Amino acid sequence: MKNTLPYLFAGGLALLAAGSAQAEKRTLVISAYPIAQPLFAKHVYEPFKARCGCDIVVETGNNADRIAKLEAHRASPVIDLVLLSDFGMLEAANKGLVAPLDYAKLKNYGQIYNFAKNPIGGNFAVGYTIYSVGLVYRSDKVSGIKSWQDLWRSDLKGRISLPDVSTTQGPLMLQMADLAWGGKGDDYATGMQKIAAIKNNVVTFSKNSAQLSSLFAQDEIWAAPVARFTWSQLLKTGMPLKWAIPAEGQAAGMNVMGIVSQSKNADLAYQLIDFWLSKEVQTALAMDLVDSPVNQQVVLPKDKAEFNTYGAEQIRSLKFVKPELILKQRSNWIAQWNKAISK
């Protein structure tokens, strides 16, 4: 009888090897905003999974909820890579929830704008997208807008919407109001006073961009601060709308990436960050109007450039609110807002 032991032994080794390979497949867990996740899967997650041979799990939510989860699992992290606003990441860094980055591990780091490099200090983050907040107006109703001060014009009384201070864009609007009216302090007191003075002229203090589309479509408002990433949606209203870059510039926001402290998959997180910053991925996301690029090598056709924060004029106009300023003043701004404007 033929000895089958060598064959059994070889078969057993093959099964062990297959089991070991399966066991070694790693999972990178990402904490991100819920918006546009199918397109992120198409342009980022699936191509990266094919490269790394790993799995990706995405958990979504707002800044506050996701920072709270990082804090709750501080001792044994369940998230590897976190995407937050710049001030949200600074809050996470101040709590020791994210680790300093070694930018030398990112070969595409040199291709991004300087303002996206180490955007919150301490080497805790890297910017992956920006957006501008300009002024959009009805060209058939409004003669034109050249300054943020124009929102205070009498012909726009009862025809404007402004962002609520509790939203991501609220502090950005507050900054531009303060800048336009000659404010000097970092508490934006002048801007707060000016907004309070016209609160009865405001149709609504909006909580999200979907509200703006409805307000413009229903002829309730003729002008409003608008984030560039919603511009294409506003044009679908069919109204004659124009985008203005005021003389004082445009407010600007930035979303950033960071690696969670004690992540067991930090090496994969670095690889994904670098992939995300690449010209190819940044171009794909910009072409699908998901995120405006921070990679300076991205070249967009005119019909796509119009809906991104992109190009020399847009980039020169950007006025970022320092993330440390938002953390310092946020509770004060909300208290003042509730007292002077929301009452």
Side-chain angles (χ1 to χ4, degrees), residues 276-289:
W276 208 311
L277 296 178
S278 68
K279 175 184 175 182
E280 293 73 23
V281 172
Q282 293 262 304
T283 299
L285 292 171
M287 289 291 289
D288 255 349
L289 309 184

Side-chain angles (χ1 to χ4, degrees), residues 135-138 142 145 147-163 173 194-206 211-212 215-216 219-226:
L135 293 177
V136 169
Y137 65 96
R138 283 273 300 272
V142 181
I145 287 183
S147 167
W148 287 87
Q149 287 189 6
D150 289 343
L151 291 174
W152 280 256
R153 285 179 0 200
S154 59
D155 61 314
L156 287 175
K157 184 177 180 179
R159 289 293 188 175
I160 62 173
S161 175
L162 300 179
M173 171 64 207
K194 286 293 184 177
I195 293 173
I198 60 164
K199 66 179 182 179
N200 294 328
N201 296 356
V202 180
V203 174
T204 187
F205 289 98
S206 62
Q211 282 182 282
L212 292 181
L215 291 167
F216 273 116
D219 194 30
E220 291 190 57
I221 62 171
W222 295 348
V226 172

Side-chain angles (χ1 to χ4, degrees), residues 127-332:
Y128 69 91
T129 186
I130 52 173
Y131 65 88
S132 55
V133 178
L135 293 177
V136 169
Y137 65 96
R138 283 273 300 272
S139 59
D140 60 331
K141 302 288 188 180
V142 181
S143 60
I145 287 183
K146 297 182 179 179
S147 167
W148 287 87
Q149 287 189 6
D150 289 343
L151 291 174
W152 280 256
R153 285 179 0 200
S154 59
D155 61 314
L156 287 175
K157 184 177 180 179
R159 289 293 188 175
I160 62 173
S161 175
L162 300 179
D164 188 272
V165 77
S166 65
T167 66
T168 302
Q169 293 170 40
L172 277 59
M173 171 64 207
L174 194 56
Q175 172 199 222
M176 299 315 296
D178 197 77
L179 181 63
W181 292 102
K184 302 297 182 183
D186 66 3
D187 58 356
Y188 297 160
T190 298
M192 184 71 73
Q193 291 167 8
K194 286 293 184 177
I195 293 173
I198 60 164
K199 66 179 182 179
N200 294 328
N201 296 356
V202 180
V203 174
T204 187
F205 289 98
S206 62
K207 294 292 182 73
N208 57 62
S209 55
Q211 282 182 282
L212 292 181
S213 291
S214 297
L215 291 167
F216 273 116
Q218 295 165 11
D219 194 30
E220 291 190 57
I221 62 171
W222 295 348
V226 172
R228 191 73 173 179
F229 57 80
T230 65
W231 180 219
S232 61
Q233 295 301 314
L234 284 184
L235 288 181
K236 291 178 182 178
T237 63
M239 292 294 182
L241 301 176
K242 284 196 175 181
W243 185 281
I245 298 179
E248 301 87 358
Q250 298 184 106
M254 178 164 30
N255 291 339
V256 303
M257 296 185 278
I259 297 178
V260 176
S261 295
Q262 302 183 59
S263 163
K264 296 180 177 62
N265 296 301
D267 58 326
L268 288 179
Y270 272 109
Q271 292 174 40
L272 181 54
I273 291 173
D274 200 44
F275 182 65
W276 208 311
L277 296 178
S278 68
K279 175 184 175 182
E280 293 73 23
V281 172
Q282 293 262 304
T283 299
L285 292 171
M287 289 291 289
D288 255 349
L289 309 184
V290 180
D291 274 339
S292 294
V294 295
N295 189 309
Q296 299 179 80
Q297 295 188 4
V298 171
V299 177
L300 299 177
K302 186 177 180 180
D303 63 324
K304 300 298 182 179
E306 180 184 359
F307 301 113
N308 282 273
T309 299
Y310 169 85
E313 184 183 20
Q314 285 276 336
I315 298 302
R316 278 197 307 266
S317 75
L318 300 181
K319 299 287 189 296
F320 291 95
V321 182
K322 293 180 180 179
E324 59 269 27
L325 183 60
I326 294 179
L327 291 188
K328 176 184 175 183
Q329 298 288 354
R330 183 169 51 186
S331 59
N332 177 46

Side-chain angles (χ1 to χ4, degrees), residues 89-106:
M89 191 67 77
L90 180 58
E91 180 180 346
N94 289 344
K95 293 178 176 180
L97 302 174
V98 290
L101 296 176
D102 180 356
Y103 295 123
K105 293 181 179 180
L106 305 174

